[in-house]
């Protein structure tokens, strides 16, 4: 049985605050994961994360899923007429895309490249893979660690 907030040991109860891990092209501290049955889960015991791993194996699976969906759709999103209208350049402000539960961060990075005039923010309970490895993030993309339920 996975530990709960009430039964977590000192090694598994350390919480990472949303403002402590953020990347906008700069390096960040490595992810804090607690081992459960050989997989790494978020140290934040908030609910959904108890059931979904955040380790490298899961991040790779999410990248494969992202690529499969993108190839199947032929684009990054459905209803292109609605998305293009919502994200059209504006005189009064920059459009913003928020990807809650960004996973590996792949979709957020791709959206920031497709819409360079928009700000794209990806939020997840564990540090997204795109924030740790690979080329620097586009200047309009930010990946953050945090619980969207607490914002």
């Amino acid at each position: 049985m996975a530990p709960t907030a009430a039964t977590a040991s000192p090694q598994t109860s350390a919480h990472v605050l949303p403002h402590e891990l953020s990347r906008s092209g700069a390096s960040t501290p490595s992810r804090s994961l607690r081992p459960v049955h050989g997989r790494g889960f978020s140290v934040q015991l908030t609910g959904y994360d108890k059931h979904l791993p955040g380790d490298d194996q899961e991040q790779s699976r999410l990248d494969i899923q992202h690529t499969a969906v993108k190839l199947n759709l032929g684009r990054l999103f459905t209803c292109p007429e609605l998305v293009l209208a919502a994200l059209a350049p504006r005189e009064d402000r920059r459009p913003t895309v928020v990807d809650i539960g960004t996973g590996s961060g792949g979709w957020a990075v791709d959206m920031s490249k497709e819409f360079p005039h928009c700000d794209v923010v990806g939020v997840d309970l564990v540090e997204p893979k795109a924030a740790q490895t690979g080329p620097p993030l586009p200047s309009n993309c930010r990946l953050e660690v945090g619980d969207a339920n607490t914002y």
Side-chain angles (χ1 to χ4, degrees):
M1 180 163 81
T4 64
T7 63
S9 69
Q11 292 89 356
T12 62
S13 62
H15 289 281
V16 179
L17 299 176
H19 67 277
E20 292 178 327
L21 292 178
S22 174
R23 177 169 179 220
S24 182
S27 63
T28 59
S30 60
R31 293 177 281 167
S32 296
L33 300 175
R34 61 185 165 86
V36 178
H37 304 294
R39 299 293 304 271
F41 288 74
S42 171
V43 297
Q44 298 183 40
L45 300 171
T46 59
Y48 296 112
D49 62 316
K50 294 178 190 176
H51 307 290
L52 298 172
D55 56 12
D56 291 336
Q57 183 179 346
E58 177 66 4
Q59 298 268 324
S60 294
R61 185 195 70 77
L62 291 169
D63 280 339
I64 293 168
Q65 177 181 301
H66 168 63
T67 300
V69 170
K70 184 170 63 172
L71 290 172
N72 189 37
L73 290 176
R75 63 179 62 94
L76 294 168
F77 43 83
T78 59
C79 304
E81 59 283 344
L82 296 176
V83 174
L84 294 173
L87 298 180
R90 302 172 191 278
E91 302 251 344
D92 58 334
R93 63 181 170 82
R94 282 176 66 97
T96 302
V97 176
V98 179
D99 182 14
I100 298 174
T102 195
S104 68
W107 186 82
V109 169
D110 285 352
M111 283 294 285
S112 68
K113 290 176 182 176
E114 186 159 334
F115 296 95
H117 62 279
C118 295
D119 290 322
V120 181
V121 180
V123 179
D124 206 301
L125 293 168
V126 296
E127 184 180 14
K129 182 174 152 183
Q132 307 166 50
T133 61
L137 295 176
S139 62
N140 62 324
C141 184
R142 192 172 76 238
L143 300 175
E144 297 186 3
V145 173
D147 183 350
N149 293 311
T150 62
Y151 281 96

